[in-house]
Amino acid sequence: MNIEKFEDIIFGKRKIIIGIFLAVSLLMLWAASGLRPDASLEKMVPLKHPYIQNLFKHKDELSLGNDIKIAVAVKKGDIFDPAYLETVKLLTDDVFYLSDMPTPEEAEQHQIVDRSKLKSLWTPNVRWSEVTKEGFQGGEVTQGYEGNIETLDALRSNILRSGQVGRLVADDFQSTIVQIPLIDGEKIDYRQLSANLETLRQKYEQQNPNVEIHIVGFAKKVGDLIEGASKIVFFFLIAALITLVLLVWDFRDVRASLLILGCSLAAVVWQLGLARILGFGIDPYSMLVPFVVFAIAISHSVQIVNAIFGEVAKGAAPEAAARQALSSLFKPGVLALTTDIIGFLTLLIIEIDVIRALAISASIGTFMIAFTNFLMLPLLLANFRVSPAAMRKLERRSGEKSAIWRLLSKKTERGPATVVVALGAILLVGGFVISQGVKIGDLDRGAPELRPDSRYNMDDLFITSNYSISADVLVVMVETSPQMCSSYSTLESVDRLQWTLENVPGVQSAQSLVTAVKRIQSGFNEGNLKWSTLVNDDAVLNESSKNVPELFNSECSLVPVFVFLDDHKAETLQRVTGAVEEFAKANNTADMKFQLASGNAGIEAATNEVIAGEKTPMMLLVYGVVIALCFWAFRSWRPVVCVILPLVVTSVLCEALMAKLGIGIKVATMPVIALGVGIGVDYGLYIFAKLEEYLRAGKSLTEAYLETLASTGKAVLFTGLALAIGVFTWVFSPIKFQADMGLLLTVMFLWNMLGALIMIPALAYFVVKPEQYRA
């Protein structure tokens, strides 16, 4: 079926098609209303990476990561205060029943806390021990404390003998931690859980004005991200409003502007509705997708309306103008949408579910634009006449070409073209040199996805500053033969690993079964520190290990080494994992293996490795697909050079900007680089397709480009500016990674627009042969 027959069918049945469109839009709106937050640890990690496979292999044997830490700090005095201790006791009782449900009745139906491993001063698993002339003595830390000042000395003594100073009790005795392990495998509503934790914070800070509550952990961070990300709806509406104002100002036609906005919003609704139908939810990273779909839809819609208005200015009736616009834009439009879709799908090579979900959602949304904008917009506009104000503006513009267009058309001449290409080469080389400084992973302490002054990051800073442990934990899993975890050969090797790691910059401390056995050995010998060592006697070591069964698994075949880090910056993780891998290479045997990694830092290290390994293949695949499709559409390498080179410059400058601003390449920013190519190629395709049309009409390169600028170029300029202004509002988001994405997308929208308008004509001067189009 050719395009003319297709036009006859859709324009002949346009009332029926419009009715179907409205019905489907309402259905998708209903489906989209059912979208719920869907963030889990499994979705955010590379499940096939060896570190993650090791983590899930042992997750049922030991609690290895998804914990929440609540630090209860005093503003004045220390923790040895009855009112403070009563607050910690009540908080411990409350978090025992902590849930991700909004009501207590629902909470009982969904238990998420591993209650047997809950730890605080008031839980029975936090104990003290000492050696006396009668032998070992011990008990619960709160043993002997009766809730009054007189018995505080007993509590103080028990804490000092418990080995919890620096772990559950701050080094300065001004705060203690309630550690809440979450049940692995449970599907958790992190947003509601975070809200429940905030309710507890508010409750106890009001009950006791002398305490401050600090909360950290993966679950709390994700909850804060979802809460902050939900505010992006406000920025989306601001962007839509700004776009509408600019559309009305540019076209002078309120009805056409509302139709552009309505069809573009319909594309977003269809994308969200289909995402819900396919079983996807909303996570902090997929919040980017609706705006990407909206941006692409606006870009194509402006081209369509601009083409229709151009035909109306020549005297065509609305339906004839809509038909002609659809016919002339069919090739570049279909090509642009296809490159966008396939470009987004290249993200599927990254084996992280949140990125794959983003790729699928963005591809679905882009495909929907073919219906909501490319098809529906001409059908809707075919029913309306252009407003008088718009006609007057069209008549003024048709008389003479803008001075700006004439200036830009000069780029098709030797002198200006040479200057532009030279400047492009300088930017490319300079940007490439600077981009070598871009890092993989997080570059800031705490949660880099959040603002440095966010509550979560301030809480994280408090804990890392006052405890020997931190919120950034990497767990090395030492696998042995059954019943060999406490043998001398095993513990001696673990001891050497701990010593090695404690001398790596960025490591605060390392703890394991060895740490406990040494303390127990000292206790066996009247507390003499000379005996704080490993005895080369398996029977003695086994007897000591029995006192701390929580530090190895039930088969005594796994010993976790907990490595507490200053932060989870990429450099820190590389140093630590490198040290472990080097140690493992030298010390692994058939009966003992040192395996990475668990803990939040271990997960981050695995993610960084996947991102680093897939970044270059992904970009090569994106550009390979775009180049292949451009070559297929234009049947020549010359247009490919003109369209692709500006995109390459944009990608390089984007990475250079990331290096300068200290933004790492990670799960949050990786998609932006690929999406920038997908969106940017649209500009070049529309411009070159129109340029070819005028060259075939017999015009010179300069004349053809001047006409191109007066039609398609105007739409490209407007789209680039409108989208850049709209997305720039993201810079004010409370979520730092969204602010970073807003800044990166702003730069990419602007540079893609400038590259298309300035670099394409300059490159065309050197590679395009106008006489070939006249043959």
Side-chain angles (χ1 to χ4, degrees):
M1 181 187 297
N2 59 33
I3 186 63
E4 289 80 9
K5 290 183 179 180
F6 177 69
E7 289 173 6
D8 290 339
I9 293 173
I10 63 171
F11 280 95
K13 304 289 185 181
R14 65 173 178 265
K15 290 184 179 180
I16 297 175
I17 295 174
I18 291 172
I20 294 173
F21 167 76
L22 293 174
V24 172
S25 296
L26 290 174
L27 175 64
M28 293 301 173
L29 183 61
W30 172 80
S33 66
L35 277 172
R36 295 291 181 268
D38 181 20
S40 64
L41 178 64
E42 289 81 0
K43 287 186 63 178
M44 297 184 182
V45 300
L47 294 175
K48 294 185 178 179
H49 192 280
Y51 293 3
I52 306 303
Q53 291 181 335
N54 290 333
L55 183 157
F56 284 102
K57 175 182 176 182
H58 296 294
K59 72 182 181 69
D60 294 329
E61 298 177 286
L62 296 168
S63 177
L64 297 178
N66 196 7
D67 294 354
I68 297 171
K69 293 183 178 70
I70 302 179
V72 186
V74 294
K75 296 178 182 177
K76 295 181 180 179
D78 57 30
I79 64 173
F80 302 106
D81 171 70
Y84 170 84
L85 293 168
E86 182 66 16
T87 298
V88 176
K89 180 180 180 181
L90 293 173
L91 176 61
T92 302
D93 291 341
D94 269 353
V95 299
F96 188 83
Y97 298 102
L98 180 67
S99 178
D100 60 344
M101 294 295 174
T103 65
E105 294 76 16
E106 293 175 296
E108 279 299 313
Q109 305 300 317
H110 191 217
Q111 178 182 333
I112 63 171
V113 175
D114 190 345
R115 295 170 178 175
S116 65
K117 296 175 182 176
L118 178 67
K119 283 187 178 182
S120 87
L121 292 182
W122 290 97
T123 55
N125 55 358
V126 177
R127 305 177 64 83
W128 64 273
S129 64
E130 69 174 354
V131 179
T132 67
K133 61 183 179 180
E134 286 83 16
F136 272 98
Q137 290 185 348
E140 297 178 18
V141 166
T142 52
Q143 177 183 332
Y145 174 66
E146 298 177 1
N148 52 48
I149 296 176
E150 291 74 17
T151 53
L152 282 174
D153 286 341
L155 177 65
R156 186 191 303 269
S157 177
N158 291 346
I159 289 175
L160 291 173
R161 292 179 292 180
S162 69
Q164 295 295 337
V165 176
R167 299 172 66 187
L168 285 184
V169 179
D171 297 324
D172 59 3
F173 295 99
Q174 291 188 336
S175 66
T176 64
I177 283 178
V178 179
Q179 186 168 333
I180 312 164
L182 302 182
I183 297 175
D184 293 318
E186 283 293 318
K187 189 171 184 179
I188 297 174
D189 183 344
Y190 289 108
R191 184 176 185 179
Q192 185 61 51
L193 175 58
S194 178
N196 293 346
L197 288 169
E198 288 300 327
T199 300
L200 288 176
R201 189 202 303 262
Q202 185 177 10
K203 173 183 175 180
Y204 286 101
E205 287 183 343
Q206 288 178 351
Q207 281 187 5
N208 188 343
N210 192 41
V211 302
E212 290 179 340
I213 306 294
H214 306 273
I215 308 173
V216 299
F218 173 81
K220 186 66 174 75
K221 180 179 76 170
V222 173
D224 286 356
L225 282 173
I226 293 174
E227 178 62 29
S230 64
K231 296 176 182 177
I232 203 65
V233 174
F234 170 75
F235 294 104
F236 182 86
L237 294 176
I238 291 295
L241 181 60
I242 291 172
T243 302
L244 178 61
V245 171
L246 292 173
L247 285 169
V248 173
W249 172 79
D250 186 59
F251 286 113
R252 300 294 198 274
D253 192 315
V254 175
R255 188 163 47 200
S257 300
L258 287 172
L259 287 175
I260 291 175
L261 187 68
C263 289
S264 300
L265 290 175
V268 173
V269 170
W270 284 31
Q271 178 263 316
L272 293 174
L274 283 172
R276 168 75 170 76
I277 292 170
L278 293 174
F280 292 112
I282 299 176
D283 60 68
Y285 305 105
S286 67
M287 291 285 187
L288 168 70
V289 175
F291 188 87
V292 170
V293 173
F294 180 74
I296 296 174
I298 289 290
S299 176
H300 289 282
S301 297
V302 170
Q303 293 288 349
I304 292 167
V305 174
N306 188 67
I308 291 174
F309 277 27
E311 294 298 323
V312 169
K314 297 175 183 177
E319 181 177 335
R323 282 174 172 261
Q324 180 58 34
L326 181 60
S327 178
S328 64
L329 297 178
F330 185 81
K331 174 183 173 181
V334 169
L335 179 61
L337 289 175
T338 303
T339 55
D340 290 343
I341 292 169
I342 297 179
F344 297 154
L345 288 176
T346 58
L347 288 169
L348 291 175
I349 71 171
I350 302 174
E351 295 179 341
I352 299 175
D353 284 352
V354 286
I355 293 183
R356 288 182 163 182
L358 183 150
I360 294 171
S361 295
S363 299
I364 290 172
T366 304
F367 183 70
M368 291 302 101
I369 292 171
F371 300 97
T372 60
N373 296 73
F374 219 79
L375 177 63
M376 289 310 307
L377 193 55
L379 293 181
L380 290 168
L381 287 171
N383 297 293
F384 302 107
R385 293 190 175 277
V386 176
S387 70
M391 285 299 300
R392 288 193 294 271
K393 186 173 182 180
L394 289 170
E395 290 170 359
R396 287 197 305 270
R397 284 185 173 179
S398 62
E400 60 178 277
K401 301 296 186 293
S402 165
I404 296 177
W405 301 146
R406 293 190 179 279
L407 178 63
L408 288 176
S409 68
K410 297 295 183 182
K411 301 300 180 289
T412 57
E413 299 175 0
R414 174 180 288 276
T418 303
V419 172
V420 168
V421 171
L423 288 175
I426 292 171
L427 288 173
L428 182 63
V429 174
F432 178 78
V433 172
I434 297 173
S435 70
Q436 299 309 295
V438 72
K439 304 294 185 181
I440 302 294
D442 292 329
L443 306 183
D444 300 308
R445 300 172 66 98
E449 298 91 346
L450 299 168
R451 298 281 187 181
D453 59 351
S454 67
R455 184 65 185 263
Y456 183 91
N457 278 329
M458 298 306 292
D459 288 350
D460 180 80
L461 180 61
F462 174 86
I463 290 176
T464 56
S465 301
N466 290 281
Y467 291 82
S468 300
I469 62 174
S470 73
D472 295 315
V473 184
L474 183 141
V475 182
V476 182
M477 291 162 281
V478 185
E479 297 177 350
T480 70
S481 300
Q483 308 306 319
M484 292 297 293
C485 70
S486 59
S487 68
Y488 177 77
S489 60
T490 297
L491 295 185
E492 189 275 334
S493 297
V494 171
D495 191 27
R496 286 189 291 110
L497 173 64
Q498 285 187 220
W499 183 88
T500 299
L501 292 176
E502 286 175 340
N503 285 278
V504 174
V507 174
Q508 288 185 355
S509 63
Q511 298 178 11
S512 71
L513 178 61
V514 169
T515 311
V517 166
K518 284 184 177 181
R519 180 168 56 83
I520 293 168
Q521 287 293 306
S522 177
F524 273 135
N525 293 276
E526 301 178 347
N528 191 327
L529 294 179
K530 290 182 178 180
W531 287 94
S532 182
T533 186
L534 297 175
V535 180
N536 191 1
D537 188 325
D538 286 357
V540 173
L541 294 176
N542 288 337
E543 186 66 27
S544 299
S545 300
K546 290 179 181 178
N547 293 281
V548 283
E550 68 273 14
L551 295 179
F552 53 91
N553 67 346
S554 59
E555 294 182 352
C556 193
S557 60
L558 177 69
V559 180
V561 180
F562 299 90
V563 187
F564 299 97
L565 310 177
D566 289 334
D567 51 61
H568 57 270
K569 295 180 181 179
E571 293 91 341
T572 303
L573 296 178
Q574 287 172 357
R575 286 195 298 267
V576 176
T577 56
V580 174
E581 288 173 350
E582 185 177 346
F583 185 91
K585 186 177 180 181
N587 293 275
N588 277 354
T589 66
D591 297 322
M592 180 175 58
K593 290 183 172 58
F594 295 85
Q595 303 278 25
L596 286 165
S598 180
N600 68 307
I603 293 170
E604 195 79 25
T607 304
N608 289 351
E609 287 194 6
V610 169
I611 294 293
E614 299 294 351
K615 172 183 170 289
T616 300
M618 184 203 72
M619 293 304 297
L620 291 175
L621 186 57
V622 168
Y623 275 105
V625 167
V626 172
I627 289 171
L629 287 172
C630 287
F631 189 82
W632 174 80
F634 293 109
R635 299 295 195 274
S636 171
W637 63 268
R638 301 176 191 277
V640 174
V641 171
C642 295
V643 171
I644 297 302
L645 282 183
L647 294 180
V648 174
V649 175
T650 300
S651 295
V652 171
L653 290 180
C654 178
E655 290 195 24
L657 180 64
M658 292 174 69
K660 282 295 184 182
L661 296 179
I663 301 173
I665 299 177
K666 48 190 176 180
V667 173
T669 55
M670 183 81 157
V672 176
I673 301 173
L675 295 178
V677 177
I679 296 172
V681 73
D682 295 356
Y683 300 152
L685 292 174
Y686 275 116
I687 283 181
F688 207 90
K690 183 61 70 172
L691 179 65
E692 275 193 332
E693 181 182 322
Y694 288 118
L695 288 174
R696 288 194 180 95
K699 296 182 180 293
S700 67
L701 182 59
T702 301
E703 293 172 337
Y705 192 63
L706 181 58
E707 295 294 335
T708 299
L709 288 172
S711 53
T712 301
K714 166 184 168 293
V716 168
L717 178 63
F718 170 82
T719 303
L721 290 174
L723 295 181
I725 292 171
V727 80
F728 185 74
T729 60
W730 286 21
V731 173
F732 304 102
S733 170
I735 305 300
K736 186 176 183 296
F737 85 80
Q738 288 181 340
D740 291 341
M741 287 194 292
L743 182 59
L744 292 175
L745 285 172
T746 298
V747 172
M748 295 185 85
F749 283 146
L750 289 174
W751 183 254
N752 278 328
M753 177 264 291
L754 291 174
L757 293 175
I758 298 174
M759 288 193 68
I760 285 180
L763 291 167
Y765 170 79
F766 291 102
V767 301
V768 172
K769 306 297 182 184
E771 58 273 12
Q772 292 181 341
Y773 292 94
R774 303 189 193 108

